[in-house]
Amino acid sequence: MLRAKEMVGRPPVLAGLAVVAGIAIGLFLGWVVFPVEWTDAAPDSLRSDLQVDYMRMVIDSYSVNRNADLAMQRYEALGEDGPAALAEVAANPGEVSDTSIQNFYALIEIYQAEAPAGTPTPPAGAGGAAAQYLLPVCGLTAVLGLLLGGAVLWRSRAARRERSRGRTDEPSDAYAGMPAEETVGEVYRPGAAAGQASAPASTPRKGAEAPLAMFRTIYTLGDDLYDDSFSIESPAGDFLGECGVGLGDLIGVGEPKKVTALEIWLFDKNDIQTVTKVLLSRFAFNDHETRARLAAKGDPVLAASGGVVTLETASLLVEVRVVDLVYAESALPAESFFERLTIELRASRKSG
């Protein structure tokens, strides 16, 4: 018992006990007296699976209200986790349609091309009121424990020096005047997420302004009610017109419908007519009778991967690009109807 008291009475042991006591008190205050209760957490603080659910809701909302600024604000709230969450939704869309996902990718491409440098960091969510005081209280308690332990140790060494030299030394000022460490925070800039290369900005077509919007639509075999349309609006939100893609012509009989042509159209509120062009499969395009019959609907154009078709009205211009094309295989003639067709529409206002 006496030896234990002697051990506890030693300055180094007292210093260690003071540090342990300070840490213990800090943990007690942090976990018992002031426990953290997070509320209104920012999307970038969520678990990865909840971020994916959040991303699905963002895409769903954009497909309904077409509010590009709000959609990008919600996407950027995920911070550097945004690209990963979007990629996970693309791999496992759930109830989100492929077209909605492709349209959201197109929206990000436009914003990345036009985002100015120095875009401010999106605000992060705030924790509970108790969390505001938790870190300072814990930190202060730990610092007090360290200071107490250091003071006890210093006094012990000073006493030994006094006994050995017959005088008291002044404390050393070797560290006086040293600058405190500075921590520079990393600034997140939208449109430059880590691990994702920004898409190059496209050059506007001669006679057209910068794109107002870009849409992407996907037809797949079995989508017998396929009919996609998109509203074209000015940067101020004014309605300018609409464009879209729908079924044009069929081949063969039975289900599912075998689509051999798609109609692409552009409506301009300042024009008296709707401009239409017809994308034909290679078989339909080479068949003179079919091509002549479909010419009554609009100019017939051969669907080819990478091919570009232009629709023009009095004040609008839409460039249509075939991103991906896959023909179905069956007993019908080769390359006669589509298995899958991905189309990108880039809408601009004509200059002048």
Side-chain angles (χ1 to χ4, degrees):
M1 178 66 69
L2 187 60
R3 182 166 179 78
K5 289 183 179 180
E6 291 178 355
M7 289 290 293
V8 173
R10 291 182 179 178
V13 176
L14 287 177
L17 290 176
V19 172
V20 172
I23 295 175
I25 293 172
L27 291 175
F28 175 76
L29 292 175
W31 291 97
V32 179
V33 180
F34 302 111
V36 179
E37 296 180 1
W38 294 102
T39 58
D40 300 327
D44 60 356
S45 300
L46 299 174
R47 295 198 316 259
S48 58
D49 57 327
L50 297 180
Q51 287 182 340
V52 173
D53 290 339
Y54 171 84
M55 191 71 252
R56 289 194 179 98
M57 290 187 286
V58 172
I59 296 174
D60 234 5
S61 174
Y62 175 65
S63 67
V64 174
N65 58 39
R66 292 293 174 185
N67 190 329
D69 291 334
L70 179 60
M72 286 304 300
Q73 180 182 351
R74 290 170 172 171
Y75 172 73
E76 289 166 359
L78 285 172
E80 59 185 16
D81 297 326
L86 182 55
E88 179 64 25
V89 173
N92 302 286
E95 297 183 0
V96 182
S97 67
D98 289 341
T99 299
S100 298
I101 296 173
Q102 294 296 331
N103 287 339
F104 200 83
Y105 268 115
L107 173 67
I108 294 175
E109 181 180 344
I110 292 177
Y111 267 72
Q112 287 178 340
E114 298 178 355
T119 306
T121 306
Q132 299 177 9
Y133 306 100
L134 175 61
L135 290 179
V137 169
C138 293
L140 181 60
T141 306
V143 169
L144 288 176
L146 291 173
L147 290 177
L148 179 59
V152 172
L153 188 60
W154 178 81
R155 290 193 61 182
S156 172
R157 290 179 176 175
R160 285 200 301 269
R161 287 197 298 268
E162 183 178 2
R163 286 193 299 268
S164 62
R165 301 178 186 178
R167 61 185 177 84
T168 304
D169 291 338
E170 294 296 326
S172 172
D173 290 332
Y175 298 100
M178 289 186 65
E181 289 188 13
E182 296 181 359
T183 303
V184 180
E186 182 178 353
V187 179
Y188 164 71
R189 302 187 186 280
Q196 179 180 11
S198 298
S202 59
T203 304
R205 186 175 184 269
K206 186 177 180 181
E209 299 178 358
L212 295 170
M214 186 167 65
F215 313 104
R216 185 169 292 191
T217 177
I218 303 174
Y219 164 77
T220 54
L221 181 64
D223 189 358
D224 294 347
L225 301 178
Y226 173 75
D227 186 16
D228 255 350
S229 60
F230 310 98
S231 177
I232 303 173
E233 299 177 350
S234 70
D238 299 325
F239 175 77
L240 302 178
E242 283 185 314
C243 61
V245 185
L247 302 183
D249 197 44
L250 308 176
I251 188 173
V253 295
E255 301 291 340
K257 293 179 180 178
K258 301 165 184 61
V259 178
T260 191
L262 292 172
E263 292 184 17
I264 306 172
W265 54 271
L266 170 62
F267 165 74
D268 184 349
K269 74 170 187 176
N270 297 320
D271 207 335
I272 59 174
Q273 62 178 351
T274 297
V275 178
T276 304
K277 291 192 177 183
V278 186
L279 275 182
L280 284 75
S281 68
R282 188 173 300 277
F283 173 81
F285 186 81
N286 291 333
D287 184 74
H288 298 291
E289 182 179 344
T290 302
R291 191 169 60 189
R293 175 170 53 83
L294 294 178
K297 296 184 177 182
D299 295 338
V301 180
L302 173 64
S305 183
V308 178
V309 180
T310 303
L311 304 178
E312 289 189 53
T313 58
S315 59
L316 295 176
L317 184 147
V318 172
E319 289 186 346
V320 182
R321 183 168 65 93
V322 178
V323 178
D324 182 51
L325 168 62
V326 179
Y327 284 110
E329 296 181 359
S330 71
L332 292 172
E335 299 184 337
S336 58
F337 65 100
F338 304 116
E339 171 79 28
R340 179 186 176 93
L341 190 62
T342 303
I343 298 174
E344 183 180 274
L345 301 95
R346 190 181 297 261
S348 306
R349 187 155 45 186
K350 294 173 68 174
S351 58

